[in-house]
Amino acid sequence: MPADLVDLNAFVAVARARGFRDAARITGASASTLSEAVRRLETQLGLRLLHRTTRSVTPTEAGALLLERVQPALGEVEAALDMVNGLRDRPTGTLRLNVPVSAARLVLPAILPGFLEAYPEIKVEIEAEDSFVDVLASGSDAGIRYDERLEQDMIAVPIGPRVQRFATAAAPAYLDRHGRPTHPRDLIGHACILGRFASGALTSPWQFEQAGEIVRVEPSSRLIVRVGGATDLAVDSAVAGSGIIHLFEDWLRPHLDSGALEAVLEGWWQPFSGPFLYYSGRRLLPPPLRAFVDYVRTARHPSAT
C-alpha cells in the first residue's frame, strides 16, 4: 500500500527541521502527532528512517535517500493542488521574474500594467540583472532571455517586440567635430562608448549588416560602463558629446526623435530576434506564472508587433 501523504509530509518536515519540536513549530502540528506519523511510515516500510537521540534527529541512510526523492515529488503535488485551486478562484500568489535590465526597461512596461490590472490578486517581483544566472536556482519562476541564451529543457514563449535592432548614434556636436562615419570601418579611431558584462566581457565587437555583408568592428573606447546598471550613464554621456554609442534602438529612440542624438550608419543597423519568456518544462506551473504565460500569449501589446 502506498505511504500516506500526511505521513510523508510529517517525515519531510522532521528530517528538514532535524527535530520534532522544531518541525511542530513550523507545521503547526504537535510533536507527538509528527512522531506517530513517522512511526507509522517506518512500520509500513519496515525501515528506520530517523536516528533519534536526546539532542538531535538525523536521517538514516534510507531516510536520506527517501528525503532526496520525495521532497520534489511532494512539491509537485502541492503545485498541482495550487493549480487546481487557481481554477476555482482567481489566481493568487507571487510571480517572480528574472530579466535583463533591457527587458525591464523596453519590454515589461508595455505588459505589466495590463497584467496587474487583469489579476489584482497576484503580486509581481522583478529581479533585473545582466549576469547569466540559473533562473530556477535563483528562486524565480521564469525569466526573459534572448534565444541564444535559452537553457535546455526550458519552454520559450515570445514576449515583446519580435524584431529589434542595435542602433549607433552620437551627439550632433560630436559628429560636427570628428566627422560622420559612412562605413562601419570608419568607426576605428572614433571615441566609442562600450559596456562590460558582469563576466568581464565587453560589448564588442559591434556588428553591422547591409545587403548581405556583415562587418564586425572592434572600437576603441575611453568610457566603459557596467551593462545594465550604468547604461543610462552611457546614454547621457553620448548625448553630452563624449562619443558614439551602440545600443538597443528602442533605448535610444527618444533621444533620436528629439535630436539630442543623431543616427550613425543607420543603413547598417542589424536586426535580431526579440526576447522570450522562458520557464522549466519539468514542473507544473504555479497559478501566477500560468496566468502570466496565458496573458502574454493571448493579449495584444504595443511592443509585440
Side-chain angles (χ1 to χ4, degrees):
M1 178 184 296
D4 191 294
L5 285 178
V6 173
D7 294 349
L8 283 171
N9 273 307
F11 161 71
V12 169
V14 173
R16 291 181 62 183
R18 298 300 178 101
F20 288 94
R21 290 183 179 178
D22 288 341
R25 283 196 296 269
I26 294 171
T27 63
S30 68
S32 60
T33 297
L34 294 174
S35 178
E36 180 60 31
V38 172
R39 278 198 294 269
R40 281 198 305 268
L41 184 59
E42 289 177 325
T43 300
Q44 185 174 358
L45 296 177
L47 292 167
R48 180 174 291 276
L49 300 175
L50 297 174
H51 292 300
R52 302 164 176 84
T53 71
T54 56
R55 294 186 176 181
S56 66
V57 174
T58 58
T60 63
E61 181 180 358
L65 179 61
L66 179 62
L67 181 65
E68 179 183 0
R69 298 299 297 271
V70 81
Q71 273 194 107
L74 291 176
E76 288 295 301
V77 171
E78 184 178 356
L81 293 174
D82 286 344
M83 184 174 65
V84 171
N85 286 332
L87 296 177
R88 182 189 60 199
D89 304 311
R90 293 182 64 83
T92 63
T94 301
L95 171 66
R96 296 176 177 87
L97 300 177
N98 182 285
V99 308
V101 174
S102 59
R105 184 183 182 96
L106 305 177
V107 176
L108 291 179
I111 297 173
L112 274 182
F115 175 75
L116 292 171
E117 182 177 358
Y119 297 94
E121 297 176 8
I122 292 178
K123 181 173 71 173
V124 179
E125 294 184 8
I126 306 294
E127 179 72 22
E129 58 181 341
D130 284 281
S131 56
F132 304 142
V133 301
D134 182 316
V135 167
L136 298 183
S138 72
S140 299
D141 299 303
I144 294 179
R145 295 292 186 272
Y146 287 84
D147 52 0
E148 70 271 18
R149 300 178 187 174
L150 294 182
E151 301 168 10
Q152 293 182 347
D153 302 319
M154 303 297 277
I155 295 175
V157 176
I159 186 172
R162 301 321 312 139
V163 178
Q164 294 179 282
R165 293 193 302 177
F166 274 109
T168 311
Y174 171 88
L175 298 172
D176 290 341
R177 292 195 307 271
H178 301 282
R180 288 167 169 78
T182 59
H183 190 276
R185 284 188 289 270
D186 295 339
L187 293 170
I188 303 299
H190 273 275
C192 296
I193 301 172
L194 297 181
R196 188 184 297 279
F197 292 102
S199 65
L202 291 172
T203 55
S204 67
W206 291 357
Q207 186 162 296
F208 300 86
E209 182 177 0
Q210 187 180 78
E213 179 186 3
I214 296 178
V215 178
R216 295 178 179 86
V217 178
E218 293 275 3
S220 59
S221 177
R222 293 179 55 215
L223 176 60
I224 300 175
V225 305
R226 175 68 177 267
V227 170
T231 301
D232 280 332
L233 173 61
V235 175
D236 291 342
S237 298
V239 170
S242 298
I244 297 177
I245 191 169
H246 187 69
L247 190 63
F248 289 92
E249 179 182 0
D250 290 340
W251 205 316
L252 298 181
R253 177 51 55 191
H255 302 289
L256 291 167
D257 290 343
S258 71
L261 290 176
E262 179 181 326
V264 173
L265 301 169
E266 186 170 2
W268 287 88
W269 293 356
Q270 187 180 49
F272 57 94
S273 62
F276 292 84
L277 173 74
Y278 79 111
Y279 53 91
S280 173
R282 294 182 174 180
R283 54 181 291 194
L284 292 170
L285 296 189
L289 178 57
R290 167 54 61 194
F292 189 68
V293 170
D294 291 343
Y295 184 82
V296 168
R297 280 177 166 161
T298 60
R300 293 181 176 272
H301 309 296
S303 62
T305 56

